[in-house]
Amino acid sequence: MRVIVWGLGYVGTVVAACLAQAGHDVIGVELNPEKVKVFNSGRSPLKEPDLDELIQQGIAQGRLRAVTDGEQYVAEADASLICVGTPSMADGSPMLNYIKGVAQQIGSGLKHSQRYHVVVLRSTVFPGVTRDFLLPLLEQHSLRSAGEDFGLVVNPEFLRETEAVTDFHAPPYTVIGELDKRSGDAIAQLYSNIQAPLHRVALEEAELLKVVNNTFHALKIGFSNEIGRICDRLGIDSHVLMQLVCADTKLNISPAYLKPGFAFGGSCLPKDLRSLIFNARQLGVEIPILDSVLPSNTLQVEAARIKIHETGAKHVGILGLSFKAGTDDLRESPVISLIRQLWQDGLEISVYDPDVNLEVLLGSNLEYLQRQLPQIDRILRTDIDSVLNECQTLVITQKRPEFTNIQGLKSHVAVLDLVRLSNESAVTGLANYEGISWQKKQPAKKILPFAGSDRANNKDVAPVAR
């Protein structure tokens, strides 16, 4: 393919050299004439292992060169890869001036071409930049339509400094956020020689992925350092401890607990977290990340409450009362907190949980339930049909077969899925419900996938006195 790489900074230089090595014809565009001069002499404008050799090889084969103005080459190219910087302003907002300048040049180049061309954003941006900022600029300056006359893709990079060439050829995955299938097909072909899993997603999902990846890396480092400070005060070898933490690949270093959903609860997680925080304070160790976990968990309950109120329902059915399926352990179940808040707001509640039977519930478990929900005798149902018949909004809080095979749910009932049953292959009764997001039109029957929301921070629902 004929490719233009816009920006010969760290990412752009690596991408240009590696694509040329893969057999593509590549032109690098860089406004700094000194960088262009260095590049065309066969040297990398930045220090990175193996780059000098790759640039020299690409130039010798006639597949690689750099220019200061790329507009004139757009009409004959198949793709433009935007690799310019998006530095942060003082308030954390991104500077998009470089993307804007490149978009104007690409658009002007497309105006004089009938060739199908795919614009690929590799710069790191927040969701909405591609669709709401880059796309209008391209259409404005090209007088052509995205999705018809040219393609648009978000293709985040995962290059580590000093390992960039290796990472280009062996990434964890290739992610293509596509405006349409034709756009995605073209860029999938560009990376056809890369042996890595390929994921094709929406523009916004690809945009957010790189930001989330880097944030997760920062979170892991911050978490480990907080544990390290506690270990230091206790005289414990933090590396031995964290090696054991990482050795658990079933729960700790795994996809477990990394699926957005409802708040956590139960007898272990809240208790042990409080214990660690308390003892760290006793030791005089500040642990702001761990300190924020329980407040964040509370906000997740509030986010579900807000979503329920947005449906306008006066009677809410809730499937699942304990903190997870298969147990009647109700200690610190976030569902109980949600019910208590909804009840205080004046909503009628019906609850069904096949594991919770008031006639056999004993001891502290029963006392906890009666203390937290004194109205439990009134709202708990012994069969699921009673809940389905009474409710205007149905809230699913557990993954269990009974809840993935719901029959006879009325068409007007909104479903708030806190555990993403709608994505499970076992779902039958909910199969007719289409997920609602800001990208989709609302169907007659609606299921609301719950992945968390921060709207609880800026929106409240006034409670109704009982």
Side-chain angles (χ1 to χ4, degrees):
M1 294 176 64
R2 298 177 181 177
V3 180
I4 304 175
V5 175
W6 299 82
L8 291 179
Y10 183 80
V11 173
T13 302
V14 173
V15 168
C18 289
L19 285 177
Q21 182 190 31
H24 302 285
D25 293 325
V26 183
I27 295 176
V29 182
E30 170 58 53
L31 295 179
N32 186 329
E34 288 302 315
K35 278 190 176 183
V36 171
K37 182 179 179 180
V38 168
F39 191 97
N40 286 331
S41 71
R43 293 183 293 121
S44 170
L46 50 92
K47 186 174 178 62
E48 180 68 29
D50 301 324
L51 260 189
D52 284 349
E53 293 81 357
L54 289 184
I55 292 172
Q56 292 167 13
Q57 176 184 324
I59 292 174
Q61 293 174 344
R63 294 190 179 279
L64 181 63
R65 62 187 169 120
V67 298
T68 56
D69 184 356
E71 181 179 325
Q72 60 184 308
Y73 302 101
V74 173
E76 298 302 320
D78 300 302
S80 281
L81 275 60
I82 302 177
C83 301
V84 297
T86 52
S88 293
M89 306 287 281
D91 62 356
S93 61
M95 181 186 296
L96 301 178
N97 294 0
Y98 301 133
I99 291 179
K100 181 178 180 180
V102 171
Q104 291 171 342
Q105 292 183 63
I106 295 173
S108 297
L110 289 174
K111 183 163 53 176
H112 306 293
S113 171
Q114 297 302 312
R115 187 188 187 96
Y116 181 75
H117 187 97
V118 183
V119 180
V120 182
L121 183 62
R122 301 215 74 184
S123 304
T124 302
V125 296
F126 202 70
V129 170
T130 304
R131 193 184 300 272
D132 301 328
F133 180 78
L134 177 58
L135 187 154
L137 282 171
L138 292 169
E139 290 188 329
Q140 174 189 347
H141 290 276
S142 68
L143 304 180
R144 303 178 72 187
S145 299
E148 297 178 11
D149 304 314
F150 66 89
L152 188 59
V153 158
V154 175
N155 175 221
E157 50 81 19
F158 309 103
L159 306 177
R160 296 168 297 170
E161 293 190 28
T162 74
E163 301 286 342
V165 173
T166 299
D167 287 344
F168 180 92
H169 293 296
Y173 41 48
T174 299
V175 177
I176 296 175
E178 55 194 37
L179 179 68
D180 56 11
K181 184 178 183 300
R182 187 182 181 189
S183 301
D185 287 344
I187 303 309
Q189 182 63 32
L190 180 66
Y191 296 117
S192 59
N193 65 324
I194 301 294
Q195 298 302 309
L198 174 64
H199 299 274
R200 296 173 63 166
V201 297
L203 293 174
E204 290 76 16
E205 291 163 346
E207 285 174 314
L208 189 56
L209 177 64
K210 179 63 182 295
V211 178
V212 171
N213 278 3
N214 283 343
T215 303
F216 188 39
H217 300 330
L219 176 62
K220 288 182 289 187
I221 294 170
F223 170 81
S224 297
N225 286 338
E226 288 193 355
I227 298 300
R229 294 199 293 272
I230 295 173
C231 288
D232 182 61
R233 290 296 177 92
L234 294 171
I236 294 172
D237 190 326
S238 60
H239 281 232
V240 171
L241 178 71
M242 292 307 294
Q243 282 175 356
L244 291 173
V245 170
C246 295
D248 178 359
T249 57
K250 182 177 181 180
L251 295 179
N252 288 352
I253 309 302
S254 76
Y257 306 136
L258 284 175
K259 295 179 181 178
F262 197 38
F264 62 79
S267 61
C268 296
L269 269 61
K271 174 180 70 69
D272 289 347
L273 182 56
R274 289 193 194 97
S275 174
L276 185 63
I277 293 170
F278 170 81
N279 284 285
R281 288 171 179 165
Q282 294 295 101
L283 293 168
V285 178
E286 294 187 12
I287 47 172
I289 293 174
L290 294 171
D291 263 332
S292 68
V293 176
L294 285 171
S296 176
N297 198 52
T298 299
L299 286 176
Q300 203 70 354
V301 177
E302 177 67 1
R305 169 179 169 256
I306 295 297
K307 276 187 173 285
I308 291 169
H309 278 289
E310 287 177 346
T311 69
K314 299 300 181 184
H315 195 126
V316 178
I318 296 181
L319 301 184
L321 184 60
S322 61
F323 77 99
K324 69 176 183 178
T327 180
D328 64 356
D329 190 348
L330 301 166
R331 288 173 292 178
E332 301 208 49
S333 169
V335 184
I336 291 178
S337 298
L338 177 62
I339 292 172
R340 189 169 61 247
Q341 292 182 32
L342 294 174
W343 181 267
Q344 292 170 349
D345 290 341
L347 301 187
E348 292 296 330
I349 308 293
S350 299
V351 185
Y352 172 70
D353 188 323
D355 294 317
V356 178
N357 186 338
L358 295 180
E359 295 181 358
V360 299
L361 211 59
L362 299 172
S364 60
N365 205 17
L366 177 60
E367 293 173 3
Y368 178 83
L369 177 59
Q370 291 176 332
R371 185 169 61 251
Q372 296 294 321
L373 293 177
Q375 72 275 35
I376 188 63
D377 289 331
R378 173 179 170 181
I379 66 176
L380 188 63
R381 303 291 183 263
T382 58
D383 63 275
I384 191 172
D385 290 336
S386 297
V387 174
L388 300 182
N389 290 331
E390 293 170 351
C391 71
Q392 297 167 322
T393 288
L394 182 68
V395 182
I396 303 174
T397 74
Q398 297 175 351
K399 286 190 175 183
R400 55 168 72 238
E402 301 96 315
F403 301 164
T404 60
N405 190 25
I406 297 174
Q407 302 294 334
L409 190 63
K410 298 174 183 177
S411 61
H412 67 276
V413 175
V415 180
L416 179 59
D417 181 5
L418 301 184
V419 290
R420 286 295 180 101
L421 284 179
S422 57
N423 290 347
E424 297 291 315
S425 59
V427 173
T428 56
L430 297 180
N432 293 328
Y433 293 85
E434 180 184 5
I436 296 177
S437 71
W438 57 272
Q439 298 178 11
K440 299 178 181 178
K441 295 181 179 179
Q442 181 168 318
K445 293 183 178 181
K446 54 180 183 263
I447 180 166
L448 307 174
F450 183 77
S453 169
D454 64 357
R455 285 178 295 174
N457 291 324
N458 53 41
K459 181 176 180 181
D460 199 5
V461 177
V464 177
R466 282 189 173 273

